Structures are given as structure tokens and as C-alpha cells.
Amino acid sequence: YVGRNVKEGMAKFSGKLHALASQAFPELTAPIEGQRRPGKFRLGYISPRVKNFNGSRWALGWLANHGDDIETYVINGVAQEDQVSTLFRRAADYYLHLPLPATEIAKVVRSLDLDALIFTDVGMCGKSLQLASLRMARSQFNAWGHPVTSGSPTMDYYLSSELMEPANGQDHYTEKLVRLPNSGLCYPRATPTPSSKSRAELGVPESGYLLFCQLCFKQTP
């Protein structure tokens, strides 16, 4: 949360992770080649924490609104599922609960022959970085759960948006930057409950709005 370009540092860090993974598990880092298995376009979502967690919960709107021509998979590495895990289970065509080491998860996911795999929150925990250093699908996408580049050679694209990237946004990513329309996100419309206190009691202006869009420690002075 430093408010600056972290591409160089992340490329060094994740490049080293990938180099070590390639030495130890070459069969899990090599590109997936050969003819794909017939069928619909197979799209997966993966996170070590598919639960009530900001890093993965945001992706539920994408998952729930794909067309019938896409076959969806959710790979959940969390040990204890919750009510949000259940929402993902219901929205996906296939749901895999795999509270396993990263390499064991990768073996299962590679066997699915996914066309694309979206990582919801690379960098939010150690296992997410381990998974991002492996190759589990023909194309791999990083996205908004942790909004910086992964730096990993196995991550092909970053799914961002036209409203949240500067003109030189590509300079901040090792992945190829994809600018989705508008915010690029899909959330249900918020229905806030008005406060019972007056503006004066809360110490806020009498007109307009006072918005806190992030945790305070993420705000660069």
C-alpha cells in the first residue's frame, strides 16, 4: 500500500519464487501444450481463501454473470468454509474444496485443462504467491483482490479497468494489462441505512458527502 510502482520489486521477488518452483516441480511450471479437451470454454477462479474475505468475495459478481457458453470452476483452498463459500459453490458449475498444499492443488487444477484461470488475490497470503508461481491453466489472470502486479512469469494478464488506470498503467505490471469497461467490477447495488444522528452530531458537512473508500492505513499521506 505504498502508492507507487512496485513492478521492479515484485518481478524480482516472484521471479525468484518461480525459479525455485521450476527446479523443484518442473511438471507444475511448464506451459500446458497440446490440443485442449473438447467442450465449452473452461474458466476457473482460484484463491486460498474463497470465503467472507475482501480478496476473493469481490469475484462473486463475475462468476454469477457469465454466459451459458462458459463452464465455470471455483477452486477453494480454505480450510474452513463459510456462507460466502456456499454462494460461490452455488454460482459455479463445478466447485472444488481443496485445503491442500499448493503443489497438490496445482496437480488437480492442471488436470481440469482450463482455458483460463483467474487468481482473485495474489499476494494476500503465502499460499497465493506459491500458486501464482505455478502454471495451472493455458492462460492465467491476476485481478483485484490485491491490486498490484504479481510479478510472476506465469501470470499472463491483469484484469483492471479503464476508470482505475492512468495512461501509463501498463508500466506498473509484468502482466499484460486489460482495461475492462468502466470499473470492471460487478457488485449488487448498495442499500445503506441512514444514520439516526444528525450531520452536526457526526461532525460532517451539512451538504455533500464524506466518503471513506479504504482503510485509513492504506491512504498515502
Side-chain angles (χ1 to χ4, degrees):
Y1 314 116
V2 293
R4 60 181 174 83
N5 191 342
V6 296
K7 177 181 175 180
E8 182 179 358
M10 289 304 300
K12 289 180 179 179
F13 177 73
S14 295
K16 184 62 174 178
L17 285 181
H18 180 259
L20 293 170
S22 297
Q23 293 174 16
F25 306 101
E27 73 283 4
L28 299 179
T29 55
I32 298 175
E33 299 175 336
Q35 189 171 0
R36 70 181 292 277
R37 202 164 64 231
K40 294 182 179 180
F41 186 92
R42 291 182 287 276
L43 171 63
Y45 290 84
I46 187 169
S47 171
R49 293 187 284 182
V50 178
K51 62 175 186 175
N52 189 17
F53 166 59
N54 289 338
S56 59
R57 187 178 57 196
W58 67 268
L60 185 60
W62 283 4
L63 173 67
N65 287 282
H66 289 300
D68 293 337
D69 56 332
I70 295 177
E71 188 173 81
T72 56
Y73 296 74
V74 169
I75 299 94
N76 188 1
V78 77
Q80 186 65 46
E81 297 172 290
D82 63 11
Q83 72 278 10
V84 175
S85 308
T86 299
L87 295 177
F88 275 89
R89 182 187 291 272
R90 291 173 178 170
D93 294 316
Y94 298 94
Y95 178 94
L96 291 77
H97 182 214
L98 301 174
L100 304 170
T103 52
E104 296 304 308
I105 293 174
K107 291 174 184 177
V108 175
V109 179
R110 276 184 72 105
S111 72
L112 301 175
D113 193 20
L114 298 178
D115 295 289
L117 180 61
I118 296 174
F119 292 68
T120 65
D121 54 302
V122 176
M124 291 301 288
C125 69
K127 185 179 284 188
S128 69
L129 290 165
Q130 291 174 332
L131 291 169
S133 70
L134 305 175
R135 171 62 67 175
M136 293 179 279
R138 294 174 182 272
S139 292
Q140 300 193 157
F141 296 76
N142 192 7
W144 273 110
H146 192 211
V148 296
T149 182
S150 68
S152 176
T154 64
M155 302 300 291
D156 305 305
Y157 301 91
Y158 193 102
L159 299 174
S160 184
S161 74
E162 60 186 12
L163 293 182
M164 290 190 262
E165 291 292 341
N168 66 335
Q170 179 61 67
D171 297 342
H172 293 230
Y173 299 92
T174 57
E175 305 92 344
K176 182 176 180 181
L177 180 61
V178 178
R179 301 170 190 259
L180 298 174
N182 299 314
S183 72
L185 298 171
C186 181
Y187 275 104
R189 185 174 295 277
T191 54
T193 302
S195 173
S196 61
K197 295 182 180 295
S198 69
R199 289 176 178 266
E201 288 176 295
L202 293 171
V204 299
E206 287 298 326
S207 61
Y209 298 91
L210 185 65
L211 301 177
F212 292 89
C213 299
Q214 273 289 2
L215 297 177
C216 291
F217 72 85
K218 295 183 180 181
Q219 300 290 350
T220 302

